[in-house]
Amino acid sequence: MDANSFLMGGGGAPTAKFPTPGTTVGGRITEQPKVEQQRDIQTGEKKARYRAGAKR
């Protein structure tokens, strides 16, 4: 899957939060996005993949 299609498809985690009207987030985009498997934030290990509808 193309990373842009994945990101623009919606349903994922937000990349920036806008808690109140007028909030802005700035920064420079330095490279094209890429699709990667989700990782555990503590260990960096790849998380298990589950079929849609499967219990975790």
Side-chain angles (χ1 to χ4, degrees):
M1 173 183 287
D2 169 284
N4 285 317
S5 297
F6 178 77
L7 293 171
M8 300 310 261
T15 56
K17 293 189 178 189
F18 300 92
T20 58
T23 300
T24 62
V25 174
R28 181 173 291 198
I29 298 172
T30 59
E31 60 185 61
Q32 290 288 323
K34 56 186 173 183
V35 177
E36 293 184 341
Q37 187 172 344
Q38 187 178 19
R39 293 181 177 267
D40 182 285
I41 197 164
Q42 299 293 326
T43 66
E45 296 284 324
K46 290 182 180 179
K47 288 190 173 184
R49 300 173 94 183
Y50 298 94
R51 291 187 327 271
K55 291 186 179 182
R56 295 182 181 189

